[in-house]
Amino acid sequence: MQRAVEETYQQVLRRDPDQPEFHQALLEVLRSLDLLVEREPDYAAVLSRIVEPERVIMFRVPWQDRDDNIRVNRGFRTQFNSAIGPYKGGLRFHPSVNLSVIKFLAFEQILKNSLTGLPIGGGKGGSDFDPKGKTDSEVMRFCQSFMTELAHHIGPNTDIPAGDIGVGAREIGYLFGQFKRLRKAYEAGVLTGKGLSYGGSLIRPEATGYGCAYFAEEMLKSRGDSLDGKKVLVSGSGNVAQFCIEKVNALGGRCITMSDSSGYVLDEDGIDTEKCEFLMALKNERRGRVSEYADKFKGAKFVPNAKPWGIAADFAFPCATQNEVDAEDAASLVKNGCRGVCEGANMPSTPEAVEVYNEHRLMFGPGKAANAGGGATSALEMSQNSQRMMWSREDVDARLRKIMTNIHEAAVQAAERVGMPDNLLHGANIAGFTKVADAMMSHGIV
Ligand code: NDP
Ligand code: 2IT
């Protein structure tokens, strides 16, 4: 590694030795930036600043459960980089959330948001609160308490949160309601992923999953191929997975798996439109487990405590969570004929899994490029809020598709710039970084 790159990494390890997820995300990016700095050494000057968040906020979130017990969770918001726009990124509610997880996600978000071509910086937040098994009233009280503190730090021109794992339409509604009450003003652009009745954008719920399928279509197109007729594995069964399945189907593919933390479902007949509707109602309304899908549809089977990566298929879309595909899983994918992996989730492949993809020349769409459609459409929601207008479904979807095409193109070009054609991971890291770094250099040492 170039000296400046290595020193930057060592400094982070010394300062925050207990943040493995952040180290992993950072090292992956630094390996790409090493190629850039070797050719364009001026960029080295930005490294020590871009790895340090502009601000980290941690706070107590007290709330009362249904039996009047006092519960205390921890809230986070990492405002990582505002060089090209206000901090932007989701909120994750999951028991595994800690500062390392939030910093890895916020760091990824800087480069991802830059890739969209829209003026949004990078941030992420959340809590170790577990919405599973909680009543709507408990979730509402938690969201109100969380927002009571977070409201001091966000605004339509400073920091704009959205959803992520465990934060969907219900949570965004409660968070917005409390923000509006505290602020005594209607600042619609403070959150994205809002309901359509109060400032949401058409296609925002669909955007991450649709965008991921569009990105895979671009990767295949560059090789004269398409998703049409492809057998596809999907993991997860939440927001990203649901709309990824829907769009892959629409593009002629056949999705045969989904999963949650209890196991996976295999449906060789394909998760068609009707079954996808059942899945959405199961997950978004009844908040049940994927095993119920296998109870409902003949031919589908539920495999507990396992991941879907051992099933033979042409393409894989990991859409659940970080590090869900390891080297062994990657080897199974390869052995069973898989030709490409497109990441709906953030950092779902371990570095060792990515090595296996590269060794076997799989097409690889890294998360920060392939799942950027969510953040991009959030920025389109902000534009509509500023205009006090609402664009049509067709309009937003066409913009999303164009953005995904542009991201693919930018990653291809940046990969060529450092002599690594076809390596979209290096390409995405470098294309995302250079725009932010150029802005930081213009701003002086701040
Ligand atoms: P949801 O909460 O809607 O769904 C998450 C899914 O992943 C569920 O099926 C969940 O299963 C599963 N999952 C979560 N954590 C784990 C775990 N530790 N082990 C196994 N399975 C797990 O979240 P999203 O669909 O919004 O997010 C999925 C991924 O996509 C995340 O990595 C997120 O960061 C990323 N992403 C999301 C965007 C968005 O717009 N929502 C945008 C870009 C990326 P269970 O219910 O059992 O926990
Ligand atoms: O990881 C992500 O890009 C998100 N959770 C969505 C961020 C956003 O601001 O819509």
Side-chain angles (χ1 to χ4, degrees):
M1 264 195 194
Q2 305 292 304
R3 210 167 125 212
V5 180
E6 179 65 32
E7 276 174 6
T8 302
Y9 185 58
Q10 292 304 329
Q11 168 77 338
V12 169
L13 294 183
R14 270 196 305 277
R15 268 198 179 140
D16 296 302
D18 54 350
Q19 298 182 351
E21 291 86 359
F22 177 50
H23 300 162
Q24 182 184 333
L26 179 63
L27 184 58
E28 179 224 271
V29 170
L30 289 177
R31 288 205 165 115
S32 304
L33 299 187
D34 193 40
L35 300 167
L36 178 71
V37 171
E38 193 186 341
R39 287 164 178 78
E40 302 177 45
D42 286 356
Y43 282 118
V46 171
L47 295 177
S48 59
R49 273 176 292 154
I50 204 168
V51 301
E52 187 65 17
E54 290 175 19
R55 194 172 298 104
V56 174
I57 300 142
M58 269 176 62
F59 50 97
R60 179 170 76 195
V61 190
W63 57 282
Q64 268 183 308
D65 69 17
R66 67 194 99 159
D67 302 317
D68 284 345
N69 297 308
I70 298 170
R71 304 273 200 111
V72 178
N73 286 95
R74 184 169 282 180
F76 300 89
R77 187 72 183 168
T78 295
Q79 299 182 329
F80 219 125
N81 194 296
S82 63
I84 63 167
Y87 311 109
K88 177 86 195 88
L91 297 171
R92 177 177 292 191
F93 292 170
H94 192 272
S96 63
V97 163
N98 57 36
L99 189 54
S100 173
V101 169
I102 295 300
K103 275 180 70 181
F104 118 63
L105 290 164
F107 185 71
E108 288 283 292
Q109 202 81 38
I110 303 170
L111 305 186
K112 181 195 307 198
N113 288 354
S114 164
L115 281 169
T116 66
L118 300 167
I120 38 179
K124 199 88 183 190
S127 175
D128 57 2
F129 173 75
D130 186 358
K132 264 198 217 96
K134 304 288 189 298
T135 64
D136 281 353
S137 309
E138 287 176 317
V139 170
M140 181 184 75
R141 285 195 295 278
F142 174 80
C143 288
Q144 289 176 342
S145 181
F146 183 86
M147 181 52 87
T148 300
E149 176 61 32
L150 187 69
H152 296 303
H153 311 286
I154 63 174
N157 296 308
T158 50
D159 185 357
I160 305 95
D164 193 81
I165 290 176
V167 178
R170 172 182 63 170
E171 289 74 19
I172 293 291
Y174 293 146
L175 291 164
F176 185 76
Q178 182 72 351
F179 180 85
K180 183 171 72 61
R181 183 184 185 197
L182 291 164
R183 197 54 56 105
K184 293 186 254 159
Y186 207 101
E187 296 183 345
V190 70
L191 289 168
T192 58
K194 298 183 293 295
L196 293 178
S197 59
Y198 64 95
S201 172
L202 288 158
I203 300 290
R204 176 61 190 90
E206 294 87 343
T208 312
Y210 278 19
C212 193
Y214 292 151
F215 194 87
E217 190 75 344
E218 286 303 313
M219 290 199 292
L220 284 156
K221 198 166 125 195
S222 68
R223 288 163 174 79
D225 201 350
S226 77
L227 277 169
D228 193 26
K230 297 278 181 300
K231 201 159 143 179
V232 167
L233 306 178
V234 174
S235 66
S237 48
N239 173 266
V240 180
Q242 292 166 15
F243 290 104
C244 179
I245 293 172
E246 190 174 281
K247 188 52 79 176
V248 168
N249 285 343
L251 293 170
R254 179 160 57 98
C255 297
I256 58 166
T257 63
M258 69 185 91
S259 69
D260 62 20
S261 52
S262 61
Y264 76 89
V265 168
L266 171 63
D267 183 353
E268 286 280 1
D269 296 334
I271 305 160
D272 62 19
T273 310
E274 182 208 332
K275 292 170 175 175
C276 206
E277 274 168 22
F278 173 85
L279 172 67
M280 289 180 187
L282 171 69
K283 284 288 166 182
N284 310 343
E285 288 156 34
R286 302 206 306 281
R287 301 184 189 275
R289 311 306 293 157
V290 281
S291 54
E292 292 172 47
Y293 176 103
D295 299 336
K296 164 94 181 166
F297 296 109
K298 247 211 226 99
K301 72 167 179 178
F302 174 65
V303 184
N305 305 319
K307 299 184 280 187
W309 313 126
I311 310 290
D314 303 305
F315 226 87
F317 289 86
C319 296
T321 193
Q322 63 268 15
N323 293 327
E324 55 166 318
V325 188
D326 62 20
E328 208 180 310
D329 300 323
S332 300
L333 288 171
V334 170
K335 193 176 102 213
N336 290 309
C338 180
R339 293 180 37 226
V341 176
C342 193
E343 297 184 330
N346 284 306
M347 204 170 73
S349 308
T350 64
E352 296 77 20
V354 176
E355 267 176 44
V356 175
Y357 306 155
N358 288 340
E359 216 175 288
H360 295 272
R361 302 193 57 79
L362 261 64
M363 282 169 257
F364 176 50
K368 66 172 70 68
N371 72 35
T377 308
S378 278
L380 301 180
E381 180 172 333
M382 289 159 64
S383 299
Q384 294 168 75
N385 294 151
S386 298
Q387 286 184 331
R388 300 179 195 277
M389 297 279 282
M390 191 167 177
W391 304 342
S392 69
R393 242 185 114 75
E394 292 70 27
D395 189 357
V396 181
D397 193 31
R399 287 175 195 255
L400 168 64
R401 186 151 198 167
K402 183 85 183 98
I403 290 167
M404 299 314 296
T405 307
N406 291 347
I407 294 174
H408 179 261
E409 186 52 33
V412 168
Q413 279 180 14
E416 281 166 6
R417 179 170 171 185
V418 295
M420 298 290 283
D422 292 341
N423 190 318
L424 296 182
L425 178 57
H426 287 317
N429 285 336
I430 289 166
F433 169 81
T434 45
K435 181 178 175 193
V436 176
D438 290 344
M440 287 174 74
M441 291 196 273
S442 307
H443 294 166
I445 303 186
V446 292

